[in-house]
Amino acid sequence: MTEHDTPPTEISPTEQAGRFARAREKQSMAILEDYVEMIGDLIAMHGEARVADIAERMGVAHPTATKAVARLKREGLATSRPYRGVFLTDKGEALANWVRVRHRTVVDLLIAVGVPQETAEADAEGIEHHVSRRTLKAFEAYLTDK
Amino acid sequence: MTEHDTPPTEISPTEQAGRFARAREKQSMAILEDYVEMIGDLIAMHGEARVADIAERMGVAHPTATKAVARLKREGLATSRPYRGVFLTDKGEALANWVRVRHRTVVDLLIAVGVPQETAEADAEGIEHHVSRRTLKAFEAYLTDK
DNA sequence: TTCGTAATATAGCCAAGGCTTCATATTCTA
DNA sequence: TAGAATATGAAGCCTTGGCTATATTACGAA
């Protein structure tokens, strides 16, 4: 390939703008997904998801977790009563499951192409949110046929 | 602390919090990287990077691009003079090059594992920012040895 | 049963990154 | 070279997702 003056790939400004817009959209979903997955994990592990635990594991202060839960409720992904735990709605649970599967698949694929496990786990935390269904399908096929 | 059901993966709360914190940090770099890469591309293609072009290709309104450029300047990645184009500092150029290489490697790897090109290009836009140097090395090795 | 502590909620602040609207500078063309 | 069109900048607003500090509630021990 040429060094510099080559436009990386000929792509129309509009199409490129669309890609960035979609990436931004996915990013706005990312935190929701992280919290939903976390809540699901905590319920699986401890039978309940307390705000304090969520905050601790997400690495944020309690009020930040409280705010996030409020947003989850607004989006119909979770429920909670003051001073009681947080629970997932059916929709939230479905999302949590999908996210969990995707996370595992991403980690497995990274490992399959030679990424050290620790690194794979860490990078997957950010990567997963940008893996489309189509890409996930390809990952699954690759892992199967490999 | 009952430990019955399957905890997705045994990981200490602290370590998990660290992962999320690092993912958040990378996210805060992502937009900077996108703009720097875009500016580099525009200069390569048109000899200059105008705010209007940056905005159009990023899919945002002009003032948003202006603000982003202001942040780039604050971070020592770019320079600009009112009503003149935007330019990259050495630091900015170095970042742009690194980002461009990483982007291409991510796209190539996705394609190599069976992701359709269009999808690969689109997903890479979000994925790339979360690919660590270590993971990138693994990608390169995989693409070479394959 | 009361009370101290721990958990949770509320309020208010900040920066980032979007937006629109309006003002101003530059450039192009007639 | 003047005036219109275009490009840039400035101001102000919104939401998100962080934070700290301060109230309030719940709960286990004395």
Side-chain angles (χ1 to χ4, degrees), chain A residues 81-98:
Chain A
R81 292 190 356 261
Y83 294 95
R84 292 289 180 268
V86 180
F87 305 93
L88 296 178
T89 63
D90 288 352
K91 187 178 161 196
E93 200 133 3
L95 179 58
N97 287 332
W98 149 253

Side-chain angles (χ1 to χ4, degrees), chain A residues 58-127:
Chain A
M58 293 297 298
V60 300
H62 322 124
T64 301
T66 299
K67 264 200 200 176
V69 170
R71 193 176 163 210
L72 291 182
K73 288 166 76 171
R74 234 184 306 141
E75 307 268 349
L77 294 167
T79 62
S80 80
R81 292 190 356 261
Y83 294 95
R84 292 289 180 268
V86 180
F87 305 93
L88 296 178
T89 63
D90 288 352
K91 187 178 161 196
E93 200 133 3
L95 179 58
N97 287 332
W98 149 253
V99 168
R100 193 181 348 266
V101 167
R102 190 185 57 187
H103 179 85
R104 261 198 302 253
T105 303
V106 170
V107 170
D108 288 348
L109 182 111
L110 290 175
I111 292 173
V113 300
V115 178
Q117 167 159 2
E118 260 310 302
T119 307
E121 295 274 3
D123 285 13
E125 208 61 74
I127 290 175

Side-chain angles (χ1 to χ4, degrees), chain B:
Chain B
M1 206 181 288
T2 54
E3 298 154 34
H4 301 114
D5 283 306
T6 59
T9 306
E10 277 303 343
I11 176 178
S12 81
T14 307
E15 190 177 343
Q16 191 168 20
R19 280 186 193 162
F20 282 113
R22 278 189 294 274
R24 282 194 297 268
E25 250 174 56
K26 286 194 180 175
Q27 191 50 42
S28 87
M29 277 296 302
I31 288 196
L32 249 41
E33 293 177 349
D34 282 337
Y35 276 94
V36 162
E37 186 183 8
M38 177 66 65
I39 291 167
D41 288 351
L42 285 171
I43 291 175
M45 285 190 287
H46 304 143
E48 63 175 0
R50 313 302 302 255
V51 170
D53 296 333
I54 297 170
E56 183 191 14
R57 294 190 91 96
M58 292 297 298
V60 299
H62 324 122
T64 302
T66 300
K67 262 200 201 177
V69 170
R71 192 178 164 206
L72 290 182
K73 288 166 76 171
R74 233 185 306 143
E75 307 268 350
L77 294 166
T79 62
S80 80
R81 292 194 352 264
Y83 293 94
R84 294 288 178 266
V86 180
F87 306 92
L88 295 178
T89 61
D90 288 351
K91 187 178 160 194
E93 200 133 4
L95 180 58
N97 287 334
W98 149 251
V99 168
R100 194 182 347 267
V101 167
R102 190 185 56 185
H103 179 86
R104 266 204 290 259
T105 303
V106 170
V107 170
D108 288 348
L109 181 111
L110 289 176
I111 291 173
V113 300
V115 178
Q117 168 160 2
E118 259 311 302
T119 307
E121 296 274 4
D123 285 14
E125 209 58 76
I127 291 176
E128 54 178 352
H129 301 291
H130 298 275
V131 170
S132 63
R133 281 188 149 75
R134 195 164 221 162
T135 293
L136 194 70
K137 276 272 167 275
F139 284 5
E140 284 164 355
Y142 177 85
L143 289 168
T144 302
D145 302 352
K146 189 172 82 102

